[in-house]
Amino acid sequence: MKDYLVKASAYDNQIRIYAATTTDMVNEAVGRHGVWPTAAAALGRTMITGTMMGAMLKGEDKVTIKVEGDGPVGPIIVDSDAHGNTRGYVYNPAVHFDLNANGKLDVARAVGTNGHIAITKNLGMKEQFTGHSPIVSGELGEDFTYYFAKSEQIPSSVGVGVLVDTDHSIKAAGGFILQVMPGADDATVTKVEQQIGAMPPVSKLIERGDSPEQIIATVTGGEYKKLETMDVAFKCECSRERIARAIVSLGSDEIQSMIEEDGGAETQCHFCNEKYDFNEVDLQELKDEANAH
Ligand code: ZN
């Protein structure tokens, strides 16, 4: 089943729900970065959330999530856009622990239970907004729920799940974000809270291979209106040309020392691990370009 996202409304537009399956997306990130299972669950949960937050944006807007806990994985960075493209990495991918008391991957131990989340939205060319919230559990679903309440004042519920196979590939990944729209009545909020309280954990839904529509039906109790469907995938915006522009911007002196000291430049994209090599001839060309500016 291809990864996709569904945006829906329920209870006469008083509730907005985003749900996505992201198995291939998370699997590609985990493969590219060689991420071990517990770290993979942490990165995957962040990528699912980023993908759904991206779907809340329009046009060329982008969102970056940075989770900085005191656990061994270190910072987790995820970028998403409004068109279903997400990329991400974790500082220390080689982190894995025994399952926790609930028989689940111990994400809180990998992420840490102290620290903070920073979410930056790039809206248009110059407008940028960053919201912060503390890490409250380290399991990430609860932490993003808290972020929406604290930083954006939107009562929400975030459920994210990643299932890792014995060969370390991703068996299933997905989740939902439910948001209460301004002006929603108390009876609706109570009903939704009861529904979410009674539903099985999101990891169960992911494990049995529920589609985004099935996840939405479970979260809302059945009645919902589909607003939009979108394909989602791992995609990085890096390219040789972009790296070349970055080298030119260093200026000719800096490029000259790269030529003299290293005889070239080797760079690697943090987000997707793609390698870009520039030999002496390449750098000479970029140096001439820098001089021409
Ligand atoms: Zn890249």
Side-chain angles (χ1 to χ4, degrees):
M1 191 172 66
K2 209 167 179 246
D3 289 344
Y4 69 103
L5 176 148
V6 174
K7 181 176 167 183
S9 70
Y11 298 94
D12 293 324
N13 288 322
Q14 295 182 81
I15 301 295
R16 181 68 42 91
I17 314 108
Y18 300 80
T21 47
T22 59
T23 309
D24 291 348
M25 173 199 288
V26 176
N27 200 40
E28 179 154 359
V30 164
R32 280 178 175 268
H33 298 292
V35 190
W36 294 10
T38 312
L43 174 61
R45 289 180 191 185
T46 309
M47 289 181 76
I48 300 159
T49 306
T51 302
M52 294 189 285
M53 288 192 76
M56 296 172 190
L57 305 174
K58 292 188 190 74
E60 299 315 304
D61 296 353
K62 286 187 169 63
V63 59
T64 299
I65 300 180
K66 191 170 187 187
V67 177
E68 275 186 291
D70 60 352
V73 294
I76 303 167
I77 317 286
V78 167
D79 265 0
S80 297
D81 68 15
H83 310 291
N85 302 310
T86 293
R87 58 181 190 168
Y89 67 100
V90 51
Y91 270 47
N92 301 309
V95 174
H96 182 61
F97 295 115
D98 290 339
L99 300 183
N100 64 20
N102 302 320
K104 302 261 181 273
L105 287 165
D106 203 347
V107 173
R109 189 170 167 197
V111 171
T113 49
N114 292 295
H116 70 277
I117 291 174
I119 300 185
T120 301
K121 292 178 191 172
N122 279 297
L123 311 169
M125 292 302 282
K126 289 198 176 75
E127 220 181 323
Q128 189 169 303
F129 163 85
T130 301
H132 299 269
S133 68
I135 286 174
V136 290
S137 84
E139 289 290 336
L140 297 177
E142 288 167 54
D143 300 298
F144 292 122
T145 297
Y146 189 70
Y147 166 83
F148 281 114
K150 176 98 179 18
S151 182
E152 302 199 9
Q153 280 89 43
I154 305 170
S156 308
S157 178
V158 181
V160 282
V162 175
L163 206 69
V164 184
D165 218 333
T166 45
D167 66 357
H168 293 193
S169 69
I170 302 301
K171 211 171 183 177
F176 69 87
I177 297 178
L178 175 146
Q179 301 195 311
V180 177
M181 305 307 281
D185 55 59
D186 292 347
T188 300
V189 174
T190 305
K191 225 159 138 185
V192 168
E193 276 172 358
Q194 283 169 347
Q195 181 64 26
I196 290 176
M199 69 177 263
V202 69
S203 57
K204 270 275 169 290
L205 310 185
I206 300 308
E207 196 173 347
R208 68 187 189 206
D210 279 9
S211 66
E213 287 88 347
Q214 286 169 315
I215 294 170
I216 291 171
T218 302
V219 171
T220 60
E223 176 264 350
Y224 67 91
K225 193 172 131 207
K226 201 192 275 195
L227 302 175
E228 199 183 332
T229 302
M230 186 199 287
D231 286 340
V232 298
F234 182 97
K235 196 179 173 203
C236 189
E237 61 190 21
C238 71
S239 66
R240 191 175 169 82
E241 186 52 29
R242 271 178 189 252
I243 306 282
R245 289 309 107 220
I247 293 174
V248 169
S249 74
L250 295 173
S252 73
D253 289 351
E254 185 66 27
I255 300 171
Q256 183 57 38
S257 69
M258 287 161 97
I259 294 170
E260 283 167 14
E261 286 162 28
D262 307 311
E266 186 190 285
T267 63
Q268 195 161 12
C269 175
H270 286 306
F271 280 98
C272 69
N273 247 358
E274 204 69 47
K275 269 204 183 87
Y276 297 96
D277 288 323
F278 293 84
N279 62 25
E280 215 175 312
V281 179
D282 298 330
L283 288 183
Q284 196 58 53
E285 274 176 30
L286 296 178
K287 188 187 153 195
D288 292 344
E289 218 178 300
N291 276 330
H293 284 307

